Amino acid sequence: MEPEVADPLLLGQRVVAILESGLRTATYKLATLMALIEHCVENLPPEPAAALPVPIPELAHRVLGIYWQQIRPFDGHELRQSTQPRARILLAANMLRDAATVGRPPASLEVARMRAPQAYRRAIEDVTLCLAQQPLHRLQRLPGAVASDPFLYDDSFLHDHVSRSTLRAHDDCIVLEPGVAAGLARLAGLLKPTLEIMWVDDVRRMNKFLDAEVPDVAGHLFGRERTALSAVRQPFKDVFGPHCFYCGTHLPSDNPIDHVLPWSIVGIDGLSNLVLACVRCNGDKGGALPAISLVDRALADDRAAVLDDIATALEWPTQRDRVVAAARGIYRGQPAGLPTWSGYRQSERFDVAFLPRWG
């Protein structure tokens, strides 16, 4: 008998209901869910009804990535993300950042991983254990309930004092129930903005100096201010020419850098997901899913070879494999006929039959 595919709408409703019940004492549940969603998008099983093993260290890496820029001071303050005095994940992220920036400029998590491999491994160990002992075994439990409702994954081996040996006995994994990975991937564009709204509310509640007059907390937390991307602008222009990737128009000195796969769905800053854009195309595209032909152009082999050289010069990873995996997961989960953005005020209907070689 074939396993039953989880209803994406019901799945999303249950996830939100769990999060909206009771007062969250940390943002860790939200971070864990965001990491799970990203993992599902990038590792979508070929069969929608399949279960999916999720390595907890892989979740730890993604969670570190989410907090990586949030640990920067905001308006002269370090933002609290927990009501508890010792925020284990933030401590791990800060220790890794310190190790990776001794005598060097700030770097992305991927660069920090290369610069300080031992500190990175320690951070992953710390965050892995924290996820297992805290959010993962509480994520499916309603306030006041004595047991979880394991609709996402089996959490029976997880508890407040779970050991590394117990985790190793379970291959350092949780296993998503049949159909859950496909459901979470399908809902990524809806669930992630919902989680961000909850997150901003929690951070405002935990940091009393953040009143209604403090601007753009969301921008600081989730990178909507993409000023850090300016470092790739001139190298891209030197190699590809000062032209919009989408329409070919000549670009001014301060043109936007666009995420081909939208930042709102998968937060990938690798060079393979970045292109030069004009203000008009960048604004019109927004968070829309691009046409398959645009993604195929961004992932073309000749472009990839050039990006490898830029990556070495800038110490900025291309993350091509991750972009390919994310694109595969995103488009496999889309219904036929979905409108996709193909250019300024233009759209193309999605046809799964025309997925290219990376699909």
Side-chain angles (χ1 to χ4, degrees), residues 206-269:
M206 295 174 194
N207 296 269
K208 300 305 181 186
F209 75 94
L210 294 176
D211 56 33
E213 302 303 317
V214 178
D216 203 21
V217 179
H220 178 83
L221 293 174
F222 299 109
R224 294 189 182 105
E225 293 181 343
R226 309 309 301 149
T227 53
L229 299 181
S230 60
V232 309
R233 185 184 292 116
Q234 194 56 50
F236 272 30
K237 287 183 175 180
D238 291 342
V239 171
F240 301 116
H243 308 290
C244 175
F245 176 82
Y246 300 115
C247 70
T249 191
H250 192 275
L251 296 171
S253 60
D254 59 348
N255 64 278
I257 305 296
D258 188 64
H259 291 85
V260 181
L261 298 179
W263 179 260
S264 59
I265 298 177
V266 284
I268 301 178
D269 271 341

Side-chain angles (χ1 to χ4, degrees), residues 24-25 51 85 87 96 103 139 146 155 173 187 193 218 235 237 293 308 348:
R24 289 179 298 277
T25 59
L96 175 57
L139 193 59
V146 296
D155 59 7
C173 276
L187 290 170
K237 287 183 175 180
S293 57
D308 285 339
E348 237 174 63

Side-chain angles (χ1 to χ4, degrees), residues 78-97:
E78 290 188 10
L79 293 177
R80 295 190 67 187
Q81 302 256 9
S82 172
T83 58
Q84 305 303 311
R86 189 173 185 273
R88 293 165 62 185
I89 294 178
L90 300 188
L91 285 172
N94 273 302
M95 288 176 65
L96 175 57
R97 184 182 285 275

Side-chain angles (χ1 to χ4, degrees), residues 150-332:
F151 67 100
L152 295 173
Y153 51 87
D154 173 23
D155 59 7
S156 60
F157 65 98
L158 301 172
H159 53 81
D160 286 348
H161 304 290
V162 66
S163 65
R164 289 296 293 120
S165 60
T166 298
L167 294 181
R168 283 192 290 271
H170 288 81
D171 298 321
D172 278 334
C173 276
I174 56 172
V175 180
L176 297 185
E177 296 292 334
V180 166
L184 289 178
R186 184 81 173 267
L187 290 170
L190 296 175
L191 278 180
K192 285 189 69 177
T194 301
L195 295 173
E196 288 185 10
I197 291 169
M198 291 180 174
W199 199 315
V200 171
D201 288 344
D202 285 355
V203 168
R204 285 190 179 277
R205 175 171 51 81
M206 295 174 194
N207 296 269
K208 300 305 181 186
F209 75 94
L210 294 176
D211 56 33
E213 302 303 317
V214 178
D216 203 21
V217 179
H220 178 83
L221 293 174
F222 299 109
R224 294 189 182 105
E225 293 181 343
R226 309 309 301 149
T227 53
L229 299 181
S230 60
V232 309
R233 185 184 292 116
Q234 194 56 50
F236 272 30
K237 287 183 175 180
D238 291 342
V239 171
F240 301 116
H243 308 290
C244 175
F245 176 82
Y246 300 115
C247 70
T249 191
H250 192 275
L251 296 171
S253 60
D254 59 348
N255 64 278
I257 305 296
D258 188 64
H259 291 85
V260 181
L261 298 179
W263 179 260
S264 59
I265 298 177
V266 284
I268 301 178
D269 271 341
L271 297 181
S272 293
N273 196 38
L274 302 178
V275 294
L276 298 168
C278 65
V279 170
R280 187 180 72 161
C281 286
N282 180 254
D284 190 57
K285 176 173 175 279
L289 203 59
I292 287 288
S293 57
L294 296 176
V295 182
D296 207 27
R297 277 179 53 206
L299 294 173
D301 290 341
D302 56 348
R303 187 170 186 269
V306 173
L307 291 180
D308 285 339
D309 294 335
I310 297 176
T312 301
L314 287 183
E315 201 179 31
W316 189 309
T318 66
Q319 295 185 297
R320 188 177 191 276
D321 289 346
R322 188 179 171 196
V323 176
V324 169
R328 184 184 297 120
I330 290 170
Y331 287 98
R332 278 184 180 171

